[in-house]
Amino acid sequence: MALDALNTAYEIANAQLEAGKASSKITGYFSGYYNYLKKKNTSTPSSPTTQSRPPADYPPNGVLRAHVLKAECCLQIAIIQLLQESVLSYVKCGLNLRRAYNSYRYVWQEYQKMGADHLAFMDADTISGVQFGIGSVHLVLSALPMKILKAMSAFGWKPDKQLGFILLNQCVEQDRVRSSMATIMLLAYYSAAISFAPQVMTAAYKKTAMSILLDAQRHHPDSALYLYFAGKLARNSLDLALSTQSFLYAAEISRGEWAEVAVINSCRFEMALNHMITGNWQHAAATFDYLCEQQYWSAAFCRYAQGACYEMMGDRTEAVIIFAEVPNLVVKKLGGRYSDIDAYVLRKVTMFQQSGYQNLDFFVPILEFMCIWNLLPYASHELLHAGLQRINKGLQSIQICEDKEQSIRMKEIAPDAPLPDYFNERASLLIVKSSILNVLGQPDKTTLDINWILDHKDCITSDTWTVPYALWEAGISCWLMELQTKSRQMWEMALDHGKHDFEHRLAVRLNLALTYTEELGYAEVKIPSETKSRYSLNLNFISKNTATLTS
């Protein structure tokens, strides 16, 4: 629906531009000359006079505004495509950003030519639209995965994130038609960046984001959108009670508005995440059930998350019944392919079904999702320790099964029983364990678990996402021990992996982290191509311990 509306608006703006080309130049001359005289008559005798070009040299204000409207349609289409998290969508996103930027740049160049008399030929709202547009394009482009950015740079087009921040802040300060949109863009970028890599980006953006939000809420205290971002930023500040309260209030005041359903469902999803973070599995399961009925985002995931919550509550019978519904809810999208989240939950449920759900002890589905979505840094230490107990129980269950199967091979020659193959199950448990240990401030204890994943990467055939995510956690371990250069080395290695679950989500996370390390002055690590398949990294701990990550 949103894409249809934006495409229609794009066609209308484009039709206006085509009509403008066919119109007489005399119309444009008189329109510009009228605005020029109006500006001249309103100036005071003491006002400084500046030389300006004849008004006929500038395009009519209506044409300039049509360019801005056309560009903003491309920008918003690109943002929607960015959220779809697929290679094709990222490519389309980049192309639409390019189209948007070309139109914005044309108007910006005309604005600069006008000099001090720009308000005589271009209204302030059009200027606001250009500032918002160019700033947003640079900001969105800077968040794209590194592979897409490299493809863009081949055409000589590179993002300037700092310019994006400057233009958006100028747009906010001028308090014109796109000031609120600029505020929302800044809040969306800051909150997304923090949530993608909380242990790295929180220190960089949290204070600035809170300042922007507080200023916006002073002018619009009952804005549902600002309350939504207040909930996300409160979570980033570990105030989960305030976060849930903000989402509740945002959902309540949106009732009766045109975006009521979208806002309420988005707030309910965020509240479900908060319930998971606090270990309130019953409320989380009920919320995901509601969202599944509403077909929000991914109905298959919502049903899967509901079942995972019942598994955490110890109600396996109900969990199995719910898991069995997931395959029927998966829908092919994006050119006949599954979305990342649908492909992930379908594969996980298929793994459960292969053992007749007898091996569910080998998995911690909800904690695994929380690890991928970077929700564990917001959880209490009590919940994290309880999670560690579940993980250790799963590892023990795997070990018992392996021992049983090995005992058969000790008694029989060439037994029919296959070799033990629990590499995927153990890898998923170990990556969650490593993430929890990092959150608990015990990065020195992650080395052995991360090494196991890296050493057995060729045996991990299903949960291949665990290998690059293990490198991400290795980087976090180094970061927590103030070994930022070594963090960058781990994250650079993670970029070499592809075609795994949530590849593009991790790519955005890596891009944000690597860009931030570069801004802090940590140089890029050059890893020789012949040693990329095997490398060694020493972690020098303050406690005089030394660990080695090897693959």
Side-chain angles (χ1 to χ4, degrees):
M1 183 184 295
L3 290 175
D4 289 342
L6 290 169
N7 283 319
T8 301
Y10 176 89
E11 291 172 0
I12 293 173
N14 198 48
Q16 183 177 355
L17 290 174
E18 292 298 327
K21 292 179 182 178
S23 63
S24 170
K25 292 184 178 181
I26 298 177
T27 304
Y29 173 83
F30 280 110
S31 174
Y33 194 70
Y34 171 77
N35 288 329
Y36 175 76
L37 291 177
K38 184 179 179 182
K39 173 72 176 179
K40 183 176 180 180
N41 291 334
T42 56
S43 62
T44 61
S46 59
S47 301
T49 59
T50 58
Q51 286 296 113
S52 61
R53 293 169 60 196
D57 288 351
Y58 304 124
N61 185 63
V63 170
L64 295 175
R65 177 171 288 191
H67 274 290
V68 172
L69 291 173
K70 176 182 173 182
E72 188 165 323
C73 290
C74 293
L75 171 62
Q76 294 195 32
I77 290 172
I79 293 173
I80 293 173
Q81 291 166 338
L82 177 65
L83 298 175
Q84 293 175 346
E85 297 185 352
S86 71
V87 174
L88 181 60
S89 296
Y90 282 133
V91 172
K92 289 181 178 179
C93 172
L95 293 174
N96 275 304
L97 286 176
R98 180 72 173 175
R99 291 166 62 193
Y101 188 75
N102 287 337
S103 292
Y104 280 130
R105 184 175 59 179
Y106 169 76
V107 180
W108 183 257
Q109 289 172 344
E110 293 298 323
Y111 165 71
Q112 290 180 317
K113 292 176 186 176
M114 294 173 186
D117 281 338
H118 59 270
L119 289 177
F121 310 106
M122 185 188 302
D123 66 278
D125 288 333
T126 301
I127 297 171
S128 175
V130 177
Q131 290 173 331
F132 164 74
I134 295 179
S136 298
V137 168
H138 280 289
L139 216 56
V140 173
L141 188 64
S142 68
L144 289 175
M146 198 69 69
K147 292 178 182 179
I148 304 298
L149 285 179
K150 288 181 179 178
M152 290 290 180
S153 64
F155 298 98
W157 197 42
K158 295 182 180 179
D160 188 338
K161 185 171 66 174
Q162 294 307 316
L163 175 61
F165 285 140
I166 291 170
L167 289 175
L168 287 172
N169 281 312
Q170 288 179 354
C171 184
V172 172
E173 291 169 1
Q174 291 179 3
D175 196 24
R176 301 300 299 186
V177 68
R178 279 294 174 263
S179 295
S180 296
M181 289 289 289
T183 300
I184 291 171
M185 178 59 70
L186 287 169
L187 290 174
Y189 181 86
Y190 287 134
S191 61
I194 294 172
S195 64
F196 265 91
Q199 290 144 304
V200 178
M201 307 303 299
T202 298
Y205 291 146
K206 187 176 78 170
K207 185 176 180 181
T208 304
M210 289 301 298
S211 176
I212 293 173
L213 177 64
L214 291 174
D215 183 66
Q217 288 191 307
R218 275 197 293 269
H219 296 91
H220 306 282
D222 294 327
S223 167
L225 286 176
Y226 291 154
L227 283 167
Y228 175 80
F229 285 113
K232 293 182 75 72
L233 292 177
R235 180 195 294 152
N236 294 334
S237 300
L238 304 182
D239 192 342
L240 294 172
L242 177 60
S243 176
T244 300
Q245 184 179 2
S246 298
F247 290 131
L248 279 170
Y249 189 30
E252 187 61 32
I253 65 175
S254 68
R255 296 190 182 279
E257 300 292 338
W258 64 272
E260 174 185 355
V261 175
V263 173
I264 289 177
N265 287 341
S266 297
C267 289
R268 282 183 177 269
F269 180 79
E270 297 297 335
M271 285 188 284
L273 298 185
N274 283 353
H275 292 320
M276 289 195 302
I277 293 169
T278 55
N280 193 343
W281 308 116
Q282 184 68 48
H283 282 81
T287 306
F288 281 121
D289 181 38
Y290 169 84
L291 292 172
C292 180
E293 297 299 327
Q294 292 288 313
Q295 297 289 307
Y296 176 76
W297 183 36
S298 165
F301 167 76
C302 291
R303 189 65 79 208
Y304 174 83
Q306 181 190 5
C309 289
Y310 275 102
E311 173 66 14
M312 288 298 289
M313 287 187 285
D315 190 349
R316 178 159 296 179
T317 302
E318 187 65 23
V320 169
I321 293 173
I322 293 172
F323 284 143
E325 299 179 25
V326 171
N328 297 326
L329 296 173
V330 173
V331 178
K332 287 188 176 181
K333 303 176 182 177
L334 309 174
R337 298 175 60 243
Y338 294 124
S339 65
D340 278 1
I341 191 66
D342 278 7
Y344 169 76
V345 297
L346 179 61
R347 185 178 51 74
K348 297 302 290 189
V349 170
T350 301
M351 291 177 68
F352 301 160
Q353 292 175 342
Q354 285 174 351
S355 66
Y357 296 98
Q358 297 302 309
N359 290 346
L360 269 178
D361 284 335
F362 302 168
F363 301 91
V364 282
I366 205 67
L367 295 180
E368 188 176 305
F369 167 75
M370 293 175 70
C371 172
I372 295 170
W373 239 248
N374 255 332
L375 298 176
L376 293 174
Y378 309 120
S380 67
H381 282 201
E382 292 78 12
L383 180 64
L384 294 175
H385 283 296
L388 280 178
Q389 292 178 0
R390 294 283 300 237
I391 292 169
N392 289 331
K393 179 183 176 183
L395 292 171
Q396 291 171 3
S397 299
I398 292 174
Q399 188 63 52
I400 291 171
C401 286
E402 287 179 336
D403 291 342
K404 287 181 179 179
E405 294 174 7
Q406 288 292 355
S407 66
I408 296 174
R409 314 193 87 78
M410 293 174 63
K411 299 174 183 178
E412 300 179 22
I413 300 296
D416 294 332
L419 285 169
D421 182 6
Y422 299 104
F423 295 102
N424 295 288
E425 292 84 347
R426 181 177 272 114
S428 63
L429 290 174
L430 291 178
I431 188 62
V432 178
K433 181 181 177 182
S434 300
S435 182
I436 291 177
L437 290 173
N438 276 332
V439 175
L440 290 173
Q442 302 173 24
D444 54 311
K445 296 182 179 180
T446 65
T447 308
L448 186 61
D449 297 328
I450 292 174
N451 270 334
W452 189 95
I453 297 173
L454 299 178
D455 290 339
H456 296 85
K457 59 184 178 182
D458 293 333
C459 302
I460 302 170
T461 57
S462 183
D463 281 325
T464 54
W465 64 272
T466 57
V467 178
Y469 274 77
L471 290 168
W472 166 261
E473 291 299 334
I476 292 296
S477 297
C478 297
W479 189 274
L480 294 175
M481 292 179 289
E482 300 183 358
L483 302 172
Q484 280 77 7
T485 301
K486 294 176 181 178
S487 292
R488 182 173 183 124
Q489 182 177 346
M490 291 291 94
W491 295 334
E492 291 282 359
M493 295 299 298
L495 286 174
D496 291 336
H497 294 267
K499 297 182 179 180
H500 56 80
D501 290 332
F502 306 111
E503 173 188 357
H504 313 297
R505 183 176 184 84
L506 179 62
V508 172
R509 185 190 302 186
L510 290 168
N511 181 29
L512 290 168
L514 289 169
T515 302
Y516 183 54
T517 57
E518 188 175 338
E519 292 171 356
L520 293 177
Y522 298 104
E524 181 179 356
V525 180
K526 297 296 184 181
I527 303 173
S529 58
E530 65 271 13
T531 62
K532 276 192 174 184
S533 60
R534 186 167 186 83
Y535 61 93
S536 178
L537 176 64
N538 291 322
L539 303 180
N540 299 314
F541 303 121
I542 297 176
S543 60
K544 298 182 180 180
N545 292 324
T546 302
T548 303
L549 291 174
T550 311
S551 78

